[in-house]
Amino acid sequence: MTLYELIKRVSDIITPETGAFYNYVLYTSDDNGGFLRTRFCWWDKPVKDHELGDGCKTVLVTAKTPITEAGLADKSDVDSFDGTAYTKVKIQFTYSKCECTADDAEWDTELGYCYVYFFDLEKNNFTKTYIKCPYC
């Protein structure tokens, strides 16, 4: 499976039929080696695709605010000087582990990514929880 295929599978679960999550993650993320994190703005080029291997069962996505289709599509915050559209939804998408657990979300929540989404790729569903940041 490639990174793009994995993002598409998660997108089909959280934003079925719209591709909103897929497009947002592709055009707003930096690859930090094992996880993606949204940038401050939309970019013209997508994050680079690469092979991940097979066997991924669960994916961890964390966010600073709830993930909604409206938030993913919102490009209303634009810099008046150069037209840069700023990102609204701050996300971390962990792809380096094939079976994520609540322990894996601990680092994210310490950084303020308190909305935790676990995607079960075998059942094509997700669970969402809120974990209060110990430093917030």
Side-chain angles (χ1 to χ4, degrees):
M1 177 183 308
T2 67
L3 179 61
Y4 284 11
E5 290 169 337
L6 180 60
I7 296 168
K8 175 79 167 96
R9 288 200 54 200
V10 170
S11 182
D12 288 347
I13 295 168
I14 194 166
T15 58
E17 301 178 24
T18 68
F21 184 86
Y22 182 77
N23 290 326
Y24 190 85
V25 170
L26 280 186
Y27 289 95
T28 66
S29 296
D30 284 321
D31 193 335
N32 293 285
F35 70 96
L36 305 174
R37 183 182 291 158
T38 51
R39 304 173 180 132
F40 71 97
C41 66
W42 289 76
W43 288 58
D44 294 332
K45 292 184 179 182
V47 66
K48 288 189 177 189
D49 196 15
H50 59 278
E51 187 64 39
L52 300 177
D54 294 326
C56 196
K57 296 179 182 177
T58 61
V59 174
L60 170 66
V61 176
T62 56
K64 291 195 175 200
T65 58
I67 298 172
T68 64
E69 286 188 41
L72 297 172
D74 188 352
K75 293 184 181 180
S76 63
D77 188 7
V78 177
D79 186 300
S80 60
F81 178 72
D82 65 4
T84 300
Y86 296 107
T87 56
K88 299 284 187 174
V89 183
K90 303 302 180 191
I91 296 172
Q92 290 197 154
F93 183 107
T94 302
Y95 65 81
S96 63
K97 296 189 84 174
C98 289
E99 291 191 48
C100 296
T101 66
D103 290 340
D104 298 319
E106 184 177 336
W107 182 69
D108 292 10
T109 58
E110 288 178 1
L111 296 173
Y113 294 86
C114 298
Y115 292 88
V116 179
Y117 298 78
F118 286 102
F119 290 86
D120 184 327
L121 300 180
E122 293 177 330
K123 295 179 182 175
N124 288 322
N125 65 17
F126 72 95
T127 58
K128 175 181 138 184
T129 58
Y130 176 80
I131 301 173
K132 176 122 173 81
C133 171
Y135 308 108
C136 299

